[in-house]
């Protein structure tokens, strides 16, 4: 299928895609809310099963809710990893002050940019193969963690495990201004233990031993 044909295909599906984005955004799922985390994972799992692709679902329960892994097109090749997350920074009730809505060419909603809209795009990629009767050149793994916004305390291990066995990873969280993303920043937390000899820096610095 040519790029123009792809554009035409998705132009015809714009309404359905927007409807699904709206449904997903309306399920509020702030970090640390285990009940709503499971609700949004349930919705995604149900929607993934309607794509027409034979999939395998893995749910990993944690205190914050659950991580979700969707595997499709099994084979001997290393999979392509599509990485995203289901938690948002918006507390429950935020959709009352920031309702999910379309104004002109812009779609607004809590967590729609970061990153529920692109969860739907990942599912659309699966649907494409089912509806065109084609297969990707390698398996596809969709990993959606539930604690990305708060440091991936339980999600990191899963991301690292899946990344280690994948050929490459596409981070589904969008970049600013629609630019191509070639790297991602990260954060780390360290506890450092230093050993030395303290001394007054102004009066007797020579008595100290810098750790």
């Amino acid at each position: 299928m040519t790029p123009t044909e792809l554009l035409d295909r998705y132009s015809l599906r714009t309404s359905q895609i927007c409807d699904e984005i709206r449904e997903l955004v309306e399920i509020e799922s702030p970090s640390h809310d285990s009940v709503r985390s499971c609700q949004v994972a349930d919705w995604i799992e149900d929607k993934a099963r309607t794509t027409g692709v034979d999939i395998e679902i893995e749910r990993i329960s944690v205190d914050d809710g659950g991580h979700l892994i969707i595997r499709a097109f099994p084979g001997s090749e290393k999979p392509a990893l599509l990485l995203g997350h289901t938690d948002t920074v918006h507390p429950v009730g935020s959709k009352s002050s920031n309702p999910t809505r379309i104004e002109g060419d812009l779609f607004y909603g809590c967590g729609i940019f970061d990153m529920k809209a692109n969860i739907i795009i990942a599912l659309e990629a699966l649907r494409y193969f089912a509806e065109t009767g084609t297969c990707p050149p390698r398996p596809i793994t969709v990993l959606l963690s539930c604690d990305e916004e708060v440091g991936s305390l339980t999600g990191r291990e899963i991301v690292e495990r899946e990344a280690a066995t994948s050929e490459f990873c596409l981070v589904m969280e969008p970049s600013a201004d629609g630019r191509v993303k070639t790297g991602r920043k990260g954060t780390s937390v360290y506890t450092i233990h230093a050993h030395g000899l303290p001394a007054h820096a102004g009066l007797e610095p020579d008595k100290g031993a810098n750790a």
Side-chain angles (χ1 to χ4, degrees):
M1 186 174 287
T2 67
T4 299
E5 290 172 333
L6 273 174
L7 180 60
D8 291 341
R9 179 183 186 277
Y10 283 108
S11 294
L12 294 174
R13 281 196 53 77
T14 298
S15 178
Q16 294 94 325
I17 291 172
C18 287
D19 287 343
E20 292 187 359
I21 291 173
R22 183 185 297 274
E23 287 183 40
L24 184 55
V25 172
E26 285 290 293
I27 306 172
E28 295 179 297
S29 53
S31 306
H32 300 313
D33 192 321
S34 60
V35 173
R36 288 176 172 82
S37 173
C38 291
Q39 288 175 347
V40 79
D42 288 343
W43 187 96
I44 295 168
E45 178 177 345
D46 289 344
K47 193 61 64 173
R49 296 191 185 282
T50 70
T51 60
V53 174
D54 186 16
I55 60 174
E56 176 187 336
I57 299 286
E58 181 180 357
R59 300 278 291 266
I60 302 172
S61 297
V62 294
D63 290 342
D64 287 335
H67 306 295
L68 177 64
I69 304 176
I70 303 169
R71 305 184 195 278
F73 307 103
S76 59
E77 298 287 332
K78 286 186 176 182
L81 177 61
L82 306 185
L83 180 61
H85 62 92
T86 58
D87 60 322
T88 73
V89 300
H90 305 277
V92 173
S94 296
K95 65 182 181 181
S96 296
S97 57
N98 181 25
T100 311
R101 66 200 186 278
I102 295 176
E103 295 180 1
D105 292 333
L106 300 178
F107 203 163
Y108 296 89
C110 298
I112 193 170
F113 181 79
D114 183 10
M115 58 154 291
K116 288 185 172 179
N118 271 14
I119 293 175
I120 301 302
I121 299 303
L123 298 181
E124 278 295 311
L126 300 182
R127 188 186 305 278
Y128 164 83
F129 291 110
E131 293 184 350
T132 59
T134 57
C135 288
R138 61 182 64 254
I140 294 176
T141 300
V142 181
L143 169 55
L144 303 173
S145 65
C146 70
D147 62 353
E148 188 271 348
E149 294 290 2
V150 290
S152 300
L153 297 181
T154 61
R156 175 176 176 171
E157 179 183 354
I158 301 167
V159 172
E160 291 177 341
R161 181 194 74 194
E162 294 299 324
T165 59
S166 299
E167 183 67 19
F168 57 84
C169 175
L170 300 176
V171 179
M172 298 300 291
E173 185 170 313
S175 59
D177 302 321
R179 291 174 292 187
V180 173
K181 182 188 302 177
T182 58
R184 288 295 293 169
K185 62 183 183 296
T187 59
S188 295
V189 178
Y190 300 94
T191 300
I192 298 176
H193 298 279
H195 301 277
L197 184 66
H200 193 286
L203 298 178
E204 299 175 319
D206 56 296
K207 292 185 177 181
N210 193 319

